Amino acid sequence: MKQRLLLLMLMMASLISAQTLSTYEKPPVFDECETKSIDQLKSCFNFTLNNFIYSNFKTPQIVNDEVYNGDIQILFEVDNTGKFKVLYVDAIYDDLKTEVKRVFSLLPNIKPATYNGKPTFSQYSISLTIPLIAPFLEVKKSDDLQLTEIENLNATLSGEYDAINEDLKPYEKLEFKSELNIPFTHSYYARFDDEMNAIGTNSHTAAKPFMYSDVAKYYDIRAEKESLAKETDSWIGRKLLNEHLVEVQGKDYWFTVDPILDLQVGNDTEAKFGSTWNNTRGIFIQAGLGKRLNLTTSIYESQGRFAEYFNKYAESLKAFGPDPAIIPGRGIAKRFKKDAYDYPVAEAYLSYTPADFLNVQFGHGKNFIGDGYRSLFQSDVASPYPFLKLNTTFWKIKYTSTWMWLKDVRDDVVVDGAFLTKYMANHYLSWNVSKRLNIGLFESVLWADSNGRGFDVNYLNPIIFFRAIEFQTGQDAGNAILGFSSKYKWNNKVNLYGQFILDEFSLNDVKAGNKSWKNKFGFQLGAKYYNAFKVDNLLLQAEYNQVRPYTYSHNSIILNYANFNQPMAHLWGSNFRELVLIGRYNYKRWFADAKLIIGERGFDFNTADDSFNYGGNIFGDEDNRVADTGITIGQGNTTSSFMTELQAGYLMNPATNLKVFTNIIYRDFNPEAITSSTSKSNTLWFSVGVRTDLFNWYNDF
């Protein structure tokens, strides 16, 4: 086998050496050959190497004892630093192989071969005849000589590979100047919310996630990260505390690679099982190609068991098929062991900026529209979905158009075992009317693939009025929603904001004052207090949300405002009122968040005696409504909900947002009637862990 391999290499060497050498190549040069002309360098290299071998080679005793006559085949390399390295030796005795390696180890470093003026490596083959005969200059290949002419195996080698390495430079943290999205978490966005909302700024803060270039005008994220850096001289210390695991930057590209972790363990006082836990491992990649194209991808492999109320809610979202649950905000989960879940997730997108005023993104992920903790327009509580998004910014306006491919995964809408695909298109216009006042206009339409309609090109127009199209395509062809938002900067410390959503509106019924079911609307009112009570980096927030029954639902039940059995707006669906109080504080790498939620909700009874739709389930059939008039928020199985969540921790690595944290949740869920679908719950859930914080976890349903 060795002889066949060697024969193949020698045949390749002969073939390559027979080619015409590039005029851009120069062979390795010994010091003794420095004065030779370019056409004599190869012969001089051959003679000098052969002479060195002859002078230093010591014939092993076994060769003399057995009066051996034969040859040794050698394949070696001169690398781009001029160092010799034996790659392969074929000889009858191991002692001969050892002696060859010893002799080559004695060779000095020489000037390496060059290609196009740049150092490169070169490979050669040589045959030694035993016993050795002294070489002489300008030897030619002949049966009478003990040395064959040395053949360069890389006569036409390109220097392109080495040139790539030469283009590398220290990583300059280009992500902070890029068109990539800043991973959206409420806690991190609070760090620069006040700078973005200062009086007189022309920022637009509703459409999220923000791109780094959006925030860079008002807040220096790079400087913030660098100010948090820890002094360390070790590579492990830098990677653990300050830097990305992999950082590469070339002439017109860069990328970073980081591990994703979400490892936590806890206890739920209400659960009958043991501890709660989550085990997420993954990889997060960011990259830039040229000045206008960026991309990122995150892949998660997760298993977990959560608090009892969380598990029950996840299983209530169950999709068609054998899998037992949908993990809220993540996706379909299969059973792991006896009472846990396995839920893989992948998210990615491309971001292209063909002009300074336009950014285009195509990917699989989530979006959010609003200045509050909740959104009545579009939130990030549902599972990721494919989307195409256009952000256009000019004058005092930012216009966002988003097209989404959603799934209805309920048993009664599955066709031939396949989930139902439906489509959503959103427009959001943000206008800075003055230094203090911003108003926003929102419209959305959702349609299904009825009559082979597929993705309706009518909705591809980014500046068209969706409501008009809905009327033209038929009453049941789509579900259109309109919205209005506003934000007022009271001063540089206090912002007021709000949203109003209109799903259906009957003026006659409003005038009648009979609380018609057709009056499907909701609103949000909120305020933020930055650097509260003169405490730097303390944000206080109060927010009130309410949505009337039957909002976001539709008389064609597949046109509900949802994806993967989860609402696309407020995670409570409809038929509720809610007060949210939030406090967030950070000091250097330390952080603390507190949240209090008090609410009233109305659920269906789902019993044999009362199976009416009371308007809290956006998937319900409107034709099965409990009444036409007298509709009030909280009707049905009225449930009071109280929840407080405290979280504190330490930011281990600012570059990757890796945190060590502890989290405590107290939840009291108290319905008037205990039914098969609505049960009383009183939970104290405590957990600790380490997490790469790249998205929002919502535990408050």
Side-chain angles (χ1 to χ4, degrees):
M1 182 64 187
K2 292 182 178 179
Q3 286 76 9
R4 294 178 181 176
L5 177 62
L6 179 61
L7 179 60
L8 177 61
M9 289 189 293
L10 291 176
M11 291 175 61
M12 293 175 61
S14 299
L15 178 62
I16 297 173
S17 63
Q19 299 175 357
T20 303
L21 297 182
S22 169
T23 57
Y24 300 106
E25 182 188 8
K26 182 179 179 182
V29 180
F30 282 94
D31 290 344
E32 295 90 330
C33 303
E34 287 281 2
T35 59
K36 301 295 183 181
S37 62
I38 189 71
D39 58 343
Q40 294 179 324
L41 288 179
K42 184 177 179 181
S43 297
C44 185
F45 173 77
N46 293 346
F47 173 78
T48 305
L49 176 61
N50 292 335
N51 192 54
F52 183 92
I53 295 173
Y54 179 80
S55 301
N56 291 275
F57 192 91
K58 297 179 181 179
T59 304
Q61 186 61 42
I62 191 174
V63 174
N64 295 328
D65 292 345
E66 297 188 6
V67 196
Y68 172 72
N69 289 275
D71 55 19
I72 307 172
Q73 305 295 336
I74 307 168
L75 183 67
F76 67 94
E77 172 184 282
V78 182
D79 67 18
N80 59 2
T81 67
K83 183 178 180 180
F84 285 84
K85 180 180 179 182
V86 176
L87 302 177
Y88 178 79
V89 182
D90 187 39
I92 190 172
Y93 301 114
D94 288 339
D95 290 357
L96 285 173
K97 298 179 182 179
T98 302
E99 180 60 16
V100 167
K101 294 177 181 178
R102 186 192 69 82
V103 172
F104 270 78
S105 70
L106 300 176
L107 282 162
N109 278 23
I110 63 176
K111 290 187 177 179
T114 59
Y115 182 83
N116 205 17
K118 296 182 178 180
T120 185
F121 72 93
S122 52
Q123 291 180 359
Y124 300 94
S125 65
I126 186 174
S127 178
L128 300 180
T129 301
I130 302 299
L132 294 181
I133 302 174
F136 55 90
L137 194 57
E138 298 293 348
V139 295
K140 299 297 181 181
K141 192 169 183 179
S142 170
D143 293 338
D144 298 330
L145 299 177
Q146 103 287 2
L147 292 174
T148 61
E149 181 180 356
I150 297 175
E151 300 167 357
N152 187 350
L153 302 184
N154 297 305
T156 58
L157 180 68
S158 171
E160 182 179 7
Y161 182 86
D162 292 323
I164 293 175
N165 289 330
E166 293 174 5
D167 286 339
L168 295 180
K169 59 181 70 174
Y171 183 58
E172 298 173 349
K173 303 179 182 180
L174 297 182
E175 65 204 87
F176 302 125
K177 300 179 181 179
S178 72
E179 310 300 320
L180 283 176
N181 294 333
I182 304 172
F184 175 46
T185 65
H186 291 291
S187 60
Y188 183 65
Y189 274 43
R191 286 179 176 257
F192 46 78
D193 204 24
D194 57 337
E195 284 85 353
M196 296 278 288
N197 284 288
I199 294 176
T201 60
N202 192 34
S203 63
H204 300 270
T205 57
K208 299 179 177 74
F210 301 146
M211 293 185 299
Y212 282 103
S213 58
D214 293 333
V215 178
K217 304 173 186 177
Y218 313 102
Y219 184 78
D220 193 337
I221 295 180
R222 175 175 178 173
E224 175 217 335
K225 304 285 189 183
E226 291 177 344
S227 70
L228 297 175
K230 296 288 186 180
E231 292 187 8
T232 176
D233 295 328
S234 68
W235 181 88
I236 294 178
R238 295 199 318 273
K239 298 303 176 183
L240 182 62
L241 300 176
N242 299 326
E243 300 177 359
H244 297 287
L245 178 62
V246 177
E247 300 176 337
V248 176
Q249 181 178 335
K251 181 179 179 181
D252 53 4
Y253 63 89
W254 64 269
F255 65 87
T256 66
V257 182
D258 292 295
I260 295 174
L261 295 175
D262 189 351
L263 310 176
Q264 53 182 290
V265 63
N267 180 262
D268 171 18
T269 58
E270 188 181 37
K272 296 179 181 179
F273 51 77
S275 61
T276 63
W277 54 273
N278 189 65
N279 177 18
T280 295
R281 300 86 57 215
I283 186 170
F284 181 53
I285 300 173
Q286 301 178 102
L289 302 174
K291 295 182 179 180
R292 298 195 176 272
L293 179 63
N294 297 105
L295 60 93
T296 185
T297 183
S298 51
I299 302 171
Y300 303 81
E301 175 60 32
S302 303
Q303 296 82 37
R305 180 175 64 196
F306 309 94
E308 182 67 15
Y309 81 90
F310 191 107
N311 296 337
K312 286 183 177 179
Y313 180 68
E315 295 192 8
S316 73
L317 301 177
K318 178 185 181 306
F320 168 81
D323 298 318
I326 292 178
I327 303 301
R330 307 310 291 150
I332 292 178
K334 63 182 180 180
R335 179 63 68 195
F336 181 75
K337 295 184 177 180
K338 182 180 179 180
D339 54 4
Y341 310 100
D342 188 329
Y343 58 104
V345 182
E347 299 181 79
Y349 66 88
L350 289 168
S351 176
Y352 179 60
T353 307
D356 292 340
F357 61 85
L358 177 64
N359 175 258
V360 182
Q361 294 187 10
F362 177 69
H364 188 266
K366 304 182 189 182
N367 296 278
F368 187 99
I369 298 178
D371 285 290
Y373 174 68
R374 308 290 199 191
S375 174
L376 304 186
F377 295 169
Q378 180 180 356
S379 75
D380 59 338
V381 301
S383 300
Y385 45 81
F387 70 90
L388 172 65
K389 180 166 67 173
L390 272 64
N391 279 313
T392 305
T393 307
F394 61 96
W395 190 51
K396 303 174 184 179
I397 287 175
K398 182 174 183 179
Y399 189 66
T400 301
S401 298
T402 312
W403 296 268
M404 291 151 280
W405 288 255
L406 310 179
K407 294 289 185 181
D408 194 324
V409 297
R410 293 171 296 152
D411 292 11
D412 49 355
V413 299
V414 169
V415 178
D416 296 329
F419 298 144
L420 174 73
T421 299
K422 54 186 181 180
Y423 311 94
M424 180 182 287
N426 290 349
H427 293 163
Y428 182 71
L429 174 68
S430 172
W431 175 28
N432 288 323
V433 180
S434 69
K435 294 180 180 180
R436 297 175 183 265
L437 178 64
N438 171 274
I439 62 173
L441 300 176
F442 174 78
E443 62 170 345
S444 175
V445 65
L446 191 146
W447 73 97
D449 187 15
S450 55
N451 300 321
R453 181 183 181 190
F455 189 93
D456 196 330
V457 295
N458 284 298
Y459 299 112
L460 275 178
N461 191 326
I463 56 175
I464 205 164
F465 186 52
F466 287 152
R467 199 72 177 183
I469 297 180
E470 185 195 22
F471 288 141
Q472 293 181 12
T473 53
Q475 179 181 0
D476 294 335
N479 180 14
I481 292 177
L482 301 178
F484 172 82
S485 68
S486 181
K487 179 179 65 178
Y488 185 74
K489 304 171 185 178
W490 186 270
N491 53 43
N492 281 332
K493 284 183 172 290
V494 177
N495 275 359
L496 307 177
Y497 63 89
Q499 291 182 336
F500 179 80
I501 191 76
L502 182 63
D503 189 2
E504 192 168 336
F505 185 77
S506 174
L507 183 60
N508 291 333
D509 288 311
V510 171
K511 290 181 177 180
N514 57 8
K515 300 179 181 179
S516 170
W517 76 279
K518 293 182 180 180
N519 295 328
K520 297 157 56 176
F521 63 86
F523 68 86
Q524 174 188 89
L525 294 174
K528 293 180 181 179
Y529 182 16
Y530 304 110
N531 299 319
F533 307 111
K534 299 183 180 180
V535 178
D536 290 342
N537 303 318
L538 174 61
L539 168 65
L540 299 181
Q541 182 176 1
E543 181 175 300
Y544 177 79
N545 300 288
Q546 80 168 43
V547 177
R548 280 183 53 79
Y550 306 107
T551 307
Y552 301 117
S553 61
H554 197 266
N555 53 11
S556 176
I557 62 173
I558 63 174
L559 297 180
N560 52 75
Y561 204 70
N563 176 50
F564 270 87
N565 290 345
Q566 301 153 86
M568 285 293 288
H570 196 293
L571 83 170
W572 284 5
S574 57
N575 192 14
F576 69 87
R577 55 173 57 93
E578 168 197 50
L579 175 65
V580 182
L581 301 176
I582 298 174
R584 304 188 189 277
Y585 177 72
N586 66 84
Y587 175 73
K588 296 183 178 179
R589 293 196 179 207
W590 298 96
F591 68 91
D593 295 333
K595 181 168 54 181
L596 177 67
I597 300 175
I598 304 171
E600 182 184 59
R601 306 169 66 178
F603 291 91
D604 298 338
F605 289 97
N606 292 324
T607 64
D609 296 330
D610 190 345
S611 60
F612 290 110
N613 177 4
Y614 284 86
N617 178 13
I618 66 175
F619 302 95
D621 185 355
E622 290 182 344
D623 293 336
N624 190 39
R625 59 186 175 272
V626 67
D628 290 340
T629 59
I631 303 301
T632 59
I633 292 177
Q635 68 179 15
N637 190 1
T638 304
T639 301
S640 62
S641 177
F642 175 87
M643 179 175 178
T644 182
E645 182 174 6
L646 304 174
Q647 184 174 131
Y650 181 79
L651 184 61
M652 288 184 61
N653 189 330
T656 63
N657 216 23
L658 180 66
K659 298 178 176 180
V660 179
F661 69 94
T662 181
N663 198 70
I664 302 175
I665 293 175
Y666 174 73
R667 177 181 182 268
D668 183 71
F669 191 80
N670 192 11
E672 286 187 355
I674 307 300
T675 69
S676 59
S677 58
T678 308
S679 58
K680 186 174 182 179
S681 174
N682 189 275
T683 301
L684 180 62
W685 183 15
F686 171 80
S687 57
V688 296
V690 55
R691 172 190 297 159
T692 305
D693 211 7
L694 299 177
F695 60 90
N696 290 307
W697 271 108
Y698 293 98
N699 300 312
D700 41 23
F701 30 78

